[in-house]
Amino acid sequence: MTSYHVAVDSTDSATLGMCTTYLGAVLLERLSELPLELSSPPELVRLNPNVPWKTRGNGAFCLRYEGEKDLLDEILFIAENVIWNLSVFEDPQTNPGLVILEGEVPISFREIYHRALHEILYLDAVKEVGDYAGALMKGWKNERGLIGALSAVGADLAEHTYEAILYRPAAVKDRMRQVDAGTLREASKRYPSTFFNIDPEGNPVCIPHSPCPVILGIRGVDPSDTLEASRMVKAEGIERWVLWKTNQHTDAHIELVRGLSSLRPFSSISAEVSVSSPSAYIEGGHLFFDVSDPEGNTATCAAYEPTKGFRKSLSQLVQGDRLRVWGSIRSEDVPLPTINLEKVDVLELAVIGVPVNPRCPECGGPTESMGRGQGLRCKKCGFRGAGLEPVEKIMEREVRTGLIEPPSDAWRHLFRPSCLPTSKERGYGGPWWGTGAP
Ligand code: ATP
């Protein structure tokens, strides 16, 4: 007996349809013809969300099997066949990659996975790692999909969630899906270990509007609840389903950094900083403010218009507020690196004193200045207090300490929300995929 790891990336198109995970769903069915058993749940692996050439969520998948020796050629034949049939080759952004590894996953693959979450990797360097480990690698067009595929083989999902995805046939390209939102709301209520199904107003947020084969995806922290919730949802035209184990919503892309001197383009970081400039809106409703670390390094923080209330709360911050920020640095920004904010924890609010005139000591009326250094006069009774001075009053702040997060429609796949259910995962012995409805 031996183990096999089969991973694929970059087969779909944002405009022409398909989804790499759908290809995974079909591959699960086709590979079940071989004397193989899944050794772990099918894995949906999200990689660096700042990669400029991603289609949507920079996702790849890996299927891990135990089975008879000498099946490499048959696995390769089936996987190539499925990729040929389903990939959207006409899209210039689609550059499929297939990696098949037999045996233990080497540490070098684990390292590639971790780097693929935080950096931009070079294809040649990744292929070298695959070659050294004796992995079978097949790339199409510019072969860039090999980067995501090899990273998916190296994925370690110690921290994970689940997503039950229901699929329709790839040929169906409607942007609308027939899903009964009422049953979705009921499922969310019945299974509180699922999340990101509906927004606070009860509108579905787990149904895409693209021409891809995904009907909907139910996310959760427990595999059994996640699948049960997906079973409760009434949807038309389900062809197949997969219960994916995934690094989604784990903040796997975030690196904790000490200071702002180490911000690298295309990375995602979390750092403790202080607000160092007033915030300002620019055209389009995007909000910007500067921050600094204790060493005096500075960066600009940005919250974009679609984050709505998140941006509004952040506009209340003032110089001296201490924050922990999470966000990504997309490219070489001039003159300061820009952190595109994903969430902010307000650690400590600056105390702002504003000068106010005291009430009149005689009648309690309001006072006004009699000129520079000449004291205050009561506007009501005319009392003149030559020695009266404005006193400092601590300004009441609208913003409070604690976490500020964007609304769910602005979350990225890897974003860990504070509402992530904390319930423990129970054992699951059921199937991970199937044809028809789940
Ligand atoms: P979907 O989520 O819908 O499957 P996608 O967003 O994953 O689509 P892809 O078409 O897979 O989009 O494009 C991402 C491309 O970026 C792939 O070719 C993948 O190999 C590559 N890639 C992923 N991570 C990195 C990285 N860290 N450095 C360089 N390239 C990467």
Side-chain angles (χ1 to χ4, degrees):
M1 295 291 272
T2 186
S3 54
Y4 299 97
H5 310 264
V6 185
V8 177
D9 194 10
S10 194
T11 63
D12 57 9
S13 159
T15 48
L16 303 172
M18 255 299 288
C19 170
T20 299
T21 71
Y22 174 79
L23 193 145
V26 173
L27 191 55
L28 277 161
E29 185 188 358
R30 294 289 316 279
L31 288 177
S32 70
E33 295 159 14
L34 299 180
L36 293 170
E37 288 293 331
L38 273 178
S39 56
S40 58
E43 294 176 6
L44 162 54
V45 181
R46 299 282 173 189
L47 300 166
N48 191 340
N50 308 316
V51 159
W53 39 79
K54 67 179 181 179
T55 310
R56 277 181 291 257
N58 198 4
F61 71 81
C62 182
L63 311 177
R64 304 185 196 275
Y65 291 96
E66 289 288 332
E68 289 175 13
K69 276 185 168 292
D70 301 323
L71 289 175
L72 268 181
D73 286 345
E74 283 169 82
I75 296 172
L76 177 67
F77 178 78
I78 290 175
E80 276 187 322
N81 191 270
V82 173
I83 292 171
W84 270 120
N85 282 335
L86 291 176
S87 299
V88 188
F89 287 103
E90 56 272 39
D91 188 320
Q93 293 284 25
T94 303
N95 298 285
L98 162 69
V99 173
I100 308 175
L101 177 79
E102 183 176 353
E104 293 279 295
V105 177
I107 288 179
S108 55
F109 276 47
R110 301 272 180 233
E111 283 168 3
I112 289 287
Y113 164 64
H114 285 286
R115 288 181 53 200
L117 283 164
H118 310 300
E119 301 170 28
I120 299 291
L121 296 178
Y122 289 100
L123 179 60
D124 287 349
V126 170
K127 278 168 86 171
E128 218 170 274
V129 169
D131 275 334
Y132 192 76
L136 254 173
M137 289 179 285
K138 169 87 197 183
W140 285 260
K141 294 168 66 184
N142 77 15
E143 301 192 328
R144 200 189 274 137
L146 286 173
I147 301 176
L150 193 136
S151 306
V153 173
D156 112 53
L157 303 185
E159 269 209 90
H160 56 262
T161 60
Y162 294 88
E163 180 166 3
I165 305 186
L166 313 185
Y167 299 97
R168 57 189 186 175
V172 183
K173 306 275 192 215
D174 286 355
R175 288 184 179 268
M176 294 303 292
R177 278 84 171 149
Q178 302 303 323
V179 177
D180 176 0
T183 54
L184 180 60
R185 284 190 278 272
E186 275 169 40
S188 309
K189 210 159 149 198
R190 166 102 53 101
Y191 295 101
S193 70
T194 66
F195 60 96
F196 201 14
N197 305 326
I198 48 171
D199 68 14
E201 283 76 48
N203 302 311
V205 289
C206 60
I207 306 171
H209 301 287
S210 65
C212 81
V214 173
I215 298 176
L216 63 93
I218 300 287
R219 299 177 190 207
V221 297
D222 177 75
S224 157
D225 282 3
T226 307
L227 188 60
E228 286 305 326
S230 78
R231 283 187 176 136
M232 266 184 76
V233 184
K234 287 209 175 75
E236 296 281 313
I238 304 172
E239 183 201 65
R240 61 186 71 238
W241 61 274
V242 177
L243 178 55
W244 296 99
K245 183 177 181 180
T246 173
N247 58 357
Q248 287 173 167
H249 306 295
T250 62
D251 270 352
H253 61 312
I254 298 283
E255 285 175 289
L256 286 187
V257 293
R258 280 256 172 116
L260 299 173
S261 59
S262 49
L263 302 186
R264 281 177 289 104
F266 304 109
S267 67
S268 304
I269 58 95
S270 172
E272 243 181 76
V273 294
S274 295
V275 177
S276 58
S277 81
S279 59
Y281 281 103
I282 63 157
E283 211 184 317
H286 312 304
L287 183 83
F288 289 83
F289 59 90
D290 291 343
V291 293
S292 62
D293 67 12
E295 275 78 53
N297 303 300
T298 50
T300 297
C301 285
Y304 295 98
E305 195 279 330
T307 62
K308 305 282 181 208
F310 175 62
R311 203 187 34 152
K312 200 163 160 229
S313 306
L314 296 178
S315 70
Q316 320 272 349
L317 295 171
V318 299
Q319 261 164 281
D321 286 342
R322 264 198 338 105
L323 318 172
R324 172 163 286 283
V325 295
W326 286 258
S328 58
I329 294 95
R330 278 203 201 121
S331 56
E332 216 79 64
D333 293 302
V334 181
L336 289 183
T338 301
I339 304 171
N340 299 291
L341 293 172
E342 288 181 22
K343 57 185 166 184
V344 170
D345 194 2
V346 181
L347 303 174
E348 197 181 336
L349 291 170
V351 178
I352 309 168
V354 282
V356 281
N357 294 343
R359 306 298 290 187
C360 169
E362 291 294 314
C363 72
T367 59
E368 63 186 353
S369 171
M370 294 190 289
R372 210 160 195 219
Q374 295 180 48
L376 304 170
R377 172 178 49 218
C378 178
K379 286 199 211 170
K380 200 169 153 201
C381 71
F383 171 81
R384 288 163 169 267
L388 276 185
E389 295 272 330
V391 290
E392 198 169 75
K393 192 172 170 228
I394 304 303
M395 201 175 90
E396 190 64 42
R397 303 284 306 276
E398 273 186 45
V399 65
R400 297 267 170 268
T401 53
L403 206 57
I404 309 178
E405 291 169 301
S408 54
D409 52 6
W411 296 355
R412 304 169 108 188
H413 289 286
L414 285 165
F415 174 81
R416 184 190 193 109
S418 61
C419 69
L420 195 71
T422 49
S423 50
K424 283 264 172 303
E425 190 179 322
R426 291 171 288 128
Y428 176 73
W432 294 100
W433 65 275
T435 49

